């Protein structure tokens, strides 16, 4: 015989104990477990009242972690947070004013993690662009990377104009 589900509040606390979630993601997870909407909303209200669920603080913490500890572009970070259920306005509010220097470092880190052998410049730029870096950051990062590792660059066919 199947055991009855624990109350939505208990399940929500259990889910939050394993990982920080946004209210939207927690709501989605509880719905997938077939809890009634009224019970879900009551659980979310209770968790918010007790300060266990705070989308703004959670979004800021997660943004800061990805911004400082990863080689993801700011666009990637924003997309990841939106997928985790945070609103676009909340995610956008977390983005610092000037991200150019950090984007350059993240692009360099991405290139050094991915490319360990000789690689064409265009392939590097495409790799970075697909990860959400701007065109100018991709250009500059590839140039800087190849300047630091001159033996790694493979000249493209159009560079042999003689």
């Amino acid at each position: 015989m199947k055991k009855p589900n624990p109350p939505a509040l208990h399940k929500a606390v259990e889910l939050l104990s394993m990982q920080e979630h946004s209210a939207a993601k927690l709501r989605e997870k509880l719905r997938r477990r077939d809890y009634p909407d009224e019970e879900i909303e009551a659980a979310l209200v209770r968790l918010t009242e007790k300060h266990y669920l705070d989308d703004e603080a959670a979004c800021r913490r997660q943004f800061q972690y990805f911004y400082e500890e990863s080689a993801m572009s700011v666009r990637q970070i924003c997309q990841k947070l939106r997928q985790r259920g945070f609103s676009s306005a909340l995610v956008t509010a977390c983005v610092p004013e000037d991200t150019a220097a950090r984007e350059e470092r993240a692009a360099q880190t991405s290139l050094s993690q991915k490319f360990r052998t000789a690689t064409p410049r265009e392939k590097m730029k495409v790799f970075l662009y697909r990860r959400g870096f701007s065109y100018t950051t991709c250009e500059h990062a590839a140039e800087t990377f190849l300047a630091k590792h001159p033996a790694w660059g493979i000249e493209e066919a159009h560079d042999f104009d003689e």
Side-chain angles (χ1 to χ4, degrees), residues 5-153:
N5 280 346
L9 180 60
H10 292 194
K11 190 61 180 177
V13 170
E14 180 185 323
L15 291 169
L16 284 172
S17 72
M18 291 184 269
Q19 179 181 346
E20 189 170 45
H21 294 288
S22 66
K25 190 56 109 173
L26 197 55
R27 182 179 292 111
E28 175 189 322
K29 286 182 176 232
L30 292 171
R31 278 192 182 135
R32 275 193 263 139
R33 288 172 172 78
D34 296 325
Y35 286 101
D37 286 342
E38 306 81 41
E39 190 177 352
I40 292 170
E41 292 309 316
L44 295 178
V45 166
R46 180 79 172 143
L47 291 170
T48 303
E49 287 171 355
K50 292 291 187 181
H51 304 288
Y52 293 134
L53 191 60
D54 182 357
D55 277 3
E56 186 176 341
C59 185
R60 288 194 185 288
R61 276 192 298 276
Q62 290 182 30
F63 184 91
Q64 200 62 35
Y65 173 77
F66 289 129
Y67 191 78
E68 292 174 0
E69 304 295 328
S70 75
M72 290 192 287
S73 69
V74 171
R75 283 185 194 152
Q76 271 184 309
I77 294 169
C78 291
Q79 181 63 29
K80 187 175 200 82
L81 292 176
R82 282 191 295 271
Q83 287 172 346
R84 289 184 176 189
F86 296 108
S87 71
S88 292
L90 195 56
V91 172
T92 304
C94 295
V95 179
E97 291 293 319
D98 186 25
T99 61
R102 188 266 174 199
E103 288 286 277
E104 181 67 31
R105 285 192 310 275
Q108 290 295 323
T109 303
S110 290
L111 287 176
S112 64
Q113 289 172 347
K114 173 71 175 172
F115 297 107
R116 306 235 184 258
T117 60
T119 307
R121 177 179 291 114
E122 288 303 313
K123 188 172 182 180
M124 289 180 188
K125 291 190 298 191
V126 167
F127 169 79
L128 292 173
Y129 193 69
R130 286 186 179 152
R131 277 153 185 76
F133 292 100
S134 69
Y135 178 79
T136 53
T137 301
C138 296
E139 283 279 325
H140 190 258
E143 295 298 324
T144 305
F145 185 78
L146 290 174
K148 290 180 183 175
H149 306 93
W152 286 20

